[in-house]
Amino acid sequence: MRFSGFKVVKEALTGHRGWKPLWRDPAPQTHYDIIIVGGGGHGLATAYHLAATFGQARIAVLEKGWLGGGNIGRNTTIIRSNYLLPGNEPFYEFSMKLWESMEQALNFNAMVSQRGILNLCHTDAQRDAFRRRGNAMLLAGADAELLDRDGVRAMAPFLNFDNARFPIKGGLLQRRAGTARHDGVAWGYARAADQRGVDILQNCEVTGFRIENGTVKGVETSRGYIGAGKVGVAVAGSSGRVMQMAGMRLPIESHVLQAFVSEGLKPVIPGVITFGAGHFYVSQSDKGGLVFGGDIDGYNSYAQRGNLPVVEDVAEGGMALMPMIGRARLLRMWGGVMDMSMDGSPILDRTDVDGLFFNGGWCYGGFKATPASGYCFAHLLATGRPHETAAAYRLDRFARGHVIDEKGVGAQPNLH
Amino acid sequence: MTQTRLPGGLIDRNQPLSFTFNGRKLQGYQGDTLASALMANDIRLVARSFKYHRPRGIFSAGSEEPNALLTLGEGADADPNTRATVVPLREGLVARSQNHAGPLGWDLWSVNDLAAPFFAAGFYYKTFMWPRAFWEKLYEPAIRRAAGLGALSQLPDPETYDKGFLHCDLLVIGGGAAGLSAALTAGRAGANVILADEDLRLGGRLLAESDPLDDAPAADWVARAEAELRALPNVRVMPRTTVFGVYDHGVYGAVEQVSDLPGAALRQTLWRITAKRAVMATGATERHIPFRDNDRPGILLAGAMRAYANRWAVAPARGKVAIFTNNDDGHRTALDLQAKGVDLLGVIDSRTGARPFGDYPIFAGGRVTGTSGRRGLRAIRLAWNGREEELACAALGVSGGWNPNIQLASHHRGRPQWDAARLAFLAQGGPEGLIPAGAAAGEGSTHHALTSGHHAAADALRQLGLTTPAPALPRAEDRQGGAEAFWHVPGKGRAWVDFQNDVTVKDIKLAHQENMRSVEHLKRWTTLGMATDQGKTSNVTALAVMAELTGRSIPETGTTIFRPPYTPVSLSVLGGGDTGAHFRPTRLTPTHAWAKAQGALFVEAGQWMRAQYFPRPGETHWRQSVDREVLAVRAGVGLCDVTTLGKIDVQGADAGEFLNRIYANMMGTLAVGKVRYGLMLREDGFAYDDGTCARLGESHYVVTTTTSNAGLVLRTMEFARQCLWPDLDVTLISTTDAWAQIAVAGPNARRLLSRVVDGFDLSNETFPFMACAELTVAKGCPARLFRISFSGELAYEIAVPARYGQALMDRLMREGADLGVTPYGTEALSVLRIEKGHAAGAELNGQTTALMLGLGRMVSQKKDSIGAVMSRREGLAQDTRRLVGLQAVDPARPLPAGSHLFREGAARDTATDQGWITSACYSPHVGGHIALGFLEEGDTRLGEIVIAANPLQGTEAACRVVPAQFVDPEGGRLRD
Amino acid sequence: MLIPHPLLGPRDAQEFTYLGDAALLNRPDPASGTAAFCDYVYLRDNPAGTHRELWYHEYGDRSWLLVTRDTLSHEILDVRLAREVKTGGTA
Ligand SMILES: Cc1cc2nc3c(=O)[nH]c(=O)nc-3n(C[C@H](O)[C@H](O)[C@H](O)COP(=O)(O)OP(=O)(O)OC[C@H]3O[C@@H](n4cnc5c(N)ncnc54)[C@H](O)[C@@H]3O)c2cc1C
């Protein structure tokens, strides 16, 4: 079934009797050519691209809970390609280009909204770093603009220009950045994958790998053993737990990141704004809620919830940056478990076990990567070779010293 | 006032208050809420729903209110989305309705309601995709115009907020029967107790009921209990305090509403309460029963109707009132209304065997199948005994049973469990130390609430080792609820489940049809429970409807968990006043006041404020001042406060060995009285920080760090000391704030310094470059002197105890007047160091290596140190980028930092990128723009012309690759 | 969170800075080469459950603590001075 305005009108006039399930709930088969572990954004996008782009068949996505119930449904929905390093920027720009056509490809409105991201700077040194980054973006074919203080004021007059501890000096603007509806992304990929024959198995937790002679044969699950030709793991915050079942230790720690949404308010914030002198970023959803966040709590956690000091820190940052939001009320806060890697950049690679592939280490920034991560992981699974934009995301980069450390803070995940 | 006022109630008729709603001047009484006062004025239509802009009235009497959200106040004090049900009425209160175009009664947006079939759950995921560019240009702007409920004033919040910490043995959350009983038990036992309730008055539901306690009005007992609690020194009673979240290890977040008045000394306080135990006596929230058109103004929760009648003495409307219930509690409302003289149409009870509890008509086995009345209820359709009839009715109270308020118990993601007997979810696996009591524990009657409150407190105290005397609790009603599952009235039309977000039974059906059946999918597909009430009145009902559709039980269908905060919390109070200029502490250097008096401009350096430059009369551009300061240093002598550099005292027999392991280069061999430049690596082998290391004595070193890394380096050194090498005899202390340090730089530096030291020989022979000493200055002031240079000139840094910093600066300025002494700021400091090719933050940015910095040989191969091993990895050891100097071919053309470097004629893309400019300035010494940067194989390309491209700002400049030292590359000046 | 400091009693976690897995106490012998250091610097067990980890009382007495904490519930099971663990040889 194709979605369209016409279909919406027709169903509205005929009592909505024609809508079909967005996806099937098939029974698990005994064997698949390719199994993707993790029904988050990356797993679903991978399955979609395997079927739609790389012509693969007999594919299953195994999700321990409900599809889209992990970080894909918990994030603050920012998409952008404003990275500095050559290992990253081409990948994220590839992702941005995929965002720009995904809804038509998936026949699902994921509300990709390019309302821009404005990163503020508060010192000359920060501005110099932005200049270096903005230039790197342009050189990689992305868009970027450097705004001075007046330029920022024109875009966001409600920021604290008069009484700030750290005055706003300017900002780096990427107009093509913005937000997308997180659930819509998961559902869009799930539906499109399902339509192309992918079996999405919900409530199917992988509890072990069957590995014989260094080759993966299948997975043990809460719904029984399922054989597989290849297995791709894309479980985000659970990376450590799952790969440990295959005997692997990873350069990853799991940390909690909190997110916040306010009550619905008439729109005042046009795009995404990030504070450069504190931990705060914000956008306003199409429903009117201010969606905001800040730093990770900073300690290893699988608890999917955080603590009060970070809540206060984020609110302080928000109030310092835009005191007009004081009377907005925080409606909900929640946490997600982040796969924080040792250099802050992801891993998309084969492993020492033949047929077992790993996708993870996305930190707090994997939502924007969803389309490209799916594409590149599918490329790797289908062809055995990394996609050119993801070639730097190797597991052995740590041993070899080719880390991709955007922030320059070294092997300490809670600082990335 | 109108006929909707009833006799009695807990309002003070001697204190009338006037207020306005949508500009209309109205009257209420002290003790009213805004909601009860609106009701007393017979105002039923107060709001519009989010999606369909349906007319809406007051639905509840508490913080669960989904409908009556208003904007209070004006200008910068405007408070959008405020629940009228929790606002105490006050004189002059200004309230406005929100989310409508045109007057509230004639909202133009209500066309959405006509188009409702097109706006079914999830419709927007299915359309608005063509043409692609229209999303940002057309569809989304249209959607955003309709977004939100109230509006922010867009002005800074002018009110004052605070935060604080509290500690107690027992936190009692909720001041109703159970909470008061718990607080009395614990208070009398001598425990430290905090009793918090969101309401202005203690008593909870007791205030809303007509049932006596010990044969007297319940309010009397509440007053006595409150008086007793307030008299106990170990009890803190906190009304208007909402405990909004439960965090780890017994930490509770709470907000106290201190004042509502604009301009008050304090509006709200954020409390972080650490409690050894807590009693969750948060009561219960009534649920409704969806039926066709059940959202009209005048349709309320039955328990709320009773509360309005009993506590606030107001009837929901003029005219007949009916009750629709599936349990006995609905009948209590009927009785109380009747007792107050309200005209009762009767009780429609879904239970076929239901009997009346008094003298009123009962429609057992009946149900409401529809309503009419455009802006307020006029009639209901009653299906009863096989007939359907329309009955005139001005207000309808609905009771579908009660949901225990277990929100706080699910803040640690504990999953509530369904209790089939009570038809309710009960807390399970909640946060440690949080004990539910009363209605929150599913104990509905007042008697049970009182005893369970006592037991909860006694349990908690026993765990803390305190015994509790048996209480004398008042005699109280002990009725059972008698609910029988009846979740919604099936049939045509729209039956609302979630009022604010306009989610109907049909939407749930559609979600089911489209396989959005898990609770999480249902919520996200339909937006159910996502409104400002977090589904307090809708989630459980929706779950039951979904269970019915899937043919599974409620527990099989799922459960419902809530996230903090319990009710929405303002960002102002979460920020707690640490905002604006107080966002972070401000650190001032010892010479700050002096610099200010000199007219310096200041710049933020982390938390520090540093003098940036010292403009002189006639200087109109910062460059003039900076160039002058730079030249003064190179030609005469300059003074700069460098106190902000981190200083760490390292002492102990093994201090040298310890520093050998901390620094990449050798420190243990440093002679006493000498200073060495030091480079630290991170354990991953990248460059971390640089500074100087001075050996003042056999077992005493002083280490400096960069300003930004002062704390981090100390942390790393403490880690090394305690966690890696605790066997070494070494101790550390930060002395950054203890010593004021001033750089004295320039050819006249020695002459100037010789005028302040107490007979200390500064000659090159006795105190050469990289010497250090402890001495006295200005007749006995202890000081430390280091002959080090950041500028490349003959230079010293002199440190005195921080309190003498300003005096020393004064003295040096006076003594140096004839030597052209000039204070210089961070800008000149930066120019001087770029001219000398010293790395700073932009070069030591955590992504660079010793090799790249041209310091590869500093990483000693003879010893181990942090990062030494990892610096030998291929990726670091084979990195061919090197720090170089760059000189603009056209001296007038700036080389902006952040430009990327290219070969002449090369394409401009990622593949051809050869490096970047880290730091840049105009060099008065060179007479043109210069820069430092990292360039591929830069060390072998001296003399080559490269292009500094800055496409971001559309500039390009050719520059020549030169050695990084633009000044005195041989180093003669600093050694003379 | 509250961290029961062995010397100072329960302290708000906000006074502390977190580093990570207590395996960081076991710095390899420099002669063991980059492979051992790569393990030490980069690889983590990252357990869902009991985790031994290092916290620094930065806004307090500057001691490094070895905290045993459950990463699923955040419950703190044990706290010691890292230095004592190290010199006691029990790390
Ligand atoms: C609060 C927050 C804010 C964020 N903000 C942003 C942002 O603004 N922009 C951005 O780009 N990124 C953001 N992120 C990061 C982003 O959400 C994640 O990086 C990304 O979603 C991770 O990929 P995923 O969607 O595949 O993960 P998930 O959705 O977490 O998918 C992993 C799935 O694996 C499943 N799983 C785990 N173990 C097993 C098992 N044993 N068997 C089967 N299935 C299993 C899980 O149930 C889960 O559904 C944010 C994250 C959080 C938590």
Side-chain angles (χ1 to χ4, degrees), chain B residues 686-705:
Chain B
F686 286 85
Y688 184 32
D689 198 62
D690 70 344
T692 58
C693 176
R695 190 166 192 177
L696 292 176
E698 210 34 64
S699 57
H700 184 190
Y701 292 76
V702 172
V703 160
T704 66
T705 75

Side-chain angles (χ1 to χ4, degrees), chain A residues 2-5 8-9 12-13 16-17 19-23 25 66-67 73-74 84 86 100 103-104 107-109 111-115 124 128 131-132 134-136 138-140 144-146 160 163 165-167 181 183-184 187 202 263-270 275 277-278 284-288 292 303-309 312-313 315-317 319-320 323-334 398-403 405-406 408-411, chain B residues 50 77-82 99 117-118 120 124-130 132 135-136 140 143-144 146-152 154-157 159 161 163 244 247-248 253 267 270 272 411-413 501 510 513-516 518 521 524-525 527 530-532 534 563-565 568-572 574-575 578-581 583-586 604 606-607 609 682 684 686 827 845-847 873-876 896-900 902 908-910 913 916 949-953:
Chain A
R2 265 190 77 72
F3 287 160
S4 67
V8 168
V9 171
L13 300 176
H16 296 286
R17 279 185 293 269
W19 297 116
K20 296 272 174 348
L22 282 124
W23 44 77
D25 274 321
W66 300 99
L67 74 87
R74 295 169 170 270
L84 167 69
E100 290 173 333
E103 295 165 302
Q104 287 67 33
N107 179 232
F108 201 87
N109 185 356
M111 289 168 241
V112 175
S113 172
Q114 296 179 296
R115 301 194 313 276
D124 289 347
D128 291 350
R131 199 181 286 114
R132 180 183 169 206
N135 280 323
L138 291 177
L139 294 170
E145 290 165 50
L146 193 63
N160 185 356
N163 180 33
R165 174 72 181 80
F166 299 102
R181 172 87 192 125
D183 295 329
W187 299 337
Q202 302 186 70
E263 297 177 342
L265 296 156
K266 295 291 166 201
V268 283
I269 297 174
F275 189 20
Q284 191 166 12
S285 79
D286 284 349
K287 270 192 73 189
F292 57 100
Q304 290 196 318
R305 61 186 174 80
N307 273 294
L308 206 44
E312 294 176 33
D313 183 64
E316 282 166 18
M319 289 299 296
M324 68 134 182
I325 61 174
R327 292 298 178 92
R329 292 195 197 85
L330 170 63
L331 173 57
R332 266 180 293 132
M333 48 186 150
W334 64 93
F398 300 95
R400 291 170 51 242
H402 290 287
V403 291
D405 185 353
E406 288 272 332
V409 292
Chain B
F50 175 68
D77 260 306
D79 226 5
N81 299 347
T82 307
N99 197 33
F118 301 95
Y124 32 77
Y125 296 110
K126 301 170 179 170
T127 180
F128 301 142
M129 284 177 270
W130 307 269
R132 215 188 63 74
W135 176 252
E136 280 87 355
E140 189 179 45
I143 291 172
R144 284 177 86 81
L149 295 165
L152 289 170
Q154 304 205 44
L155 299 168
D157 186 348
E159 303 301 334
Y161 300 83
K163 56 174 78 167
F244 65 79
Y247 300 90
D248 281 316
R267 183 161 181 267
L270 175 69
R272 208 187 284 182
H411 284 184
H412 286 195
R413 302 186 58 77
N501 272 356
L510 188 56
Q513 183 182 332
E514 300 191 273
N515 198 13
M516 289 302 213
S518 85
H521 287 164
R524 290 151 184 264
W525 188 244
T527 74
M530 304 297 226
T532 60
Q534 273 206 48
R563 289 164 169 162
V569 178
S570 79
L571 290 182
S572 278
L574 287 173
D578 290 340
T579 59
F583 170 56
R584 291 285 184 260
T586 303
E604 299 76 21
Q607 293 182 347
M609 297 302 295
R682 288 188 312 239
D684 67 354
F686 286 85
E827 290 295 335
N845 70 349
Q847 299 169 324
R873 282 179 295 166
E874 158 205 319
L876 286 75
S899 301
H900 288 236
F902 292 89
R908 306 275 188 264
D909 59 39
T910 311
D913 196 344
W916 73 101
N950 178 24
L952 193 59
Q953 292 168 296

Side-chain angles (χ1 to χ4, degrees), chain A residues 146-335:
Chain A
L146 193 63
L147 303 187
D148 61 10
R149 189 175 156 91
D150 290 337
V152 172
R153 198 193 279 268
M155 268 195 85
F158 49 81
L159 298 178
N160 185 356
F161 287 95
D162 305 322
N163 180 33
R165 174 72 181 80
F166 299 102
I168 295 164
K169 293 236 158 141
L172 183 64
L173 173 67
Q174 184 181 28
R175 289 194 195 269
R176 283 164 63 245
T179 58
R181 172 87 192 125
H182 53 7
D183 295 329
V185 174
W187 299 337
Y189 276 119
R191 175 170 163 273
D194 176 84
Q195 285 177 342
R196 286 161 182 80
V198 172
D199 280 1
I200 301 171
L201 306 175
Q202 302 186 70
N203 296 307
C204 182
E205 177 171 8
V206 171
T207 54
F209 294 94
R210 194 171 289 177
I211 297 167
E212 289 168 11
N213 301 322
T215 304
V216 71
K217 297 292 176 193
V219 292
E220 308 288 349
T221 81
S222 54
R223 296 172 73 174
Y225 174 77
I226 307 176
K230 293 175 191 164
V231 177
V233 174
V235 294
S238 302
S239 293
R241 280 164 120 171
V242 171
M243 294 311 281
Q244 182 245 328
M245 299 178 206
M248 283 180 65
R249 293 168 83 222
L250 296 172
I252 286 177
E253 286 180 5
S254 293
H255 283 258
V256 60
L257 176 67
Q258 303 192 59
F260 309 87
V261 64
S262 78
E263 297 177 342
L265 296 156
K266 295 291 166 201
V268 283
I269 297 174
V272 183
I273 299 177
T274 75
F275 189 20
H279 309 120
F280 179 75
Y281 61 90
V282 66
S283 67
Q284 191 166 12
S285 79
D286 284 349
K287 270 192 73 189
L290 305 178
V291 180
F292 57 100
D295 211 358
I296 57 177
D297 269 40
Y299 42 80
N300 285 54
S301 173
Y302 285 93
Q304 290 196 318
R305 61 186 174 80
N307 273 294
L308 206 44
V310 167
V311 181
E312 294 176 33
D313 183 64
V314 170
E316 282 166 18
M319 289 299 296
L321 181 64
M322 38 179 82
M324 68 134 182
I325 61 174
R327 292 298 178 92
R329 292 195 197 85
L330 170 63
L331 173 57
R332 266 180 293 132
M333 48 186 150
W334 64 93

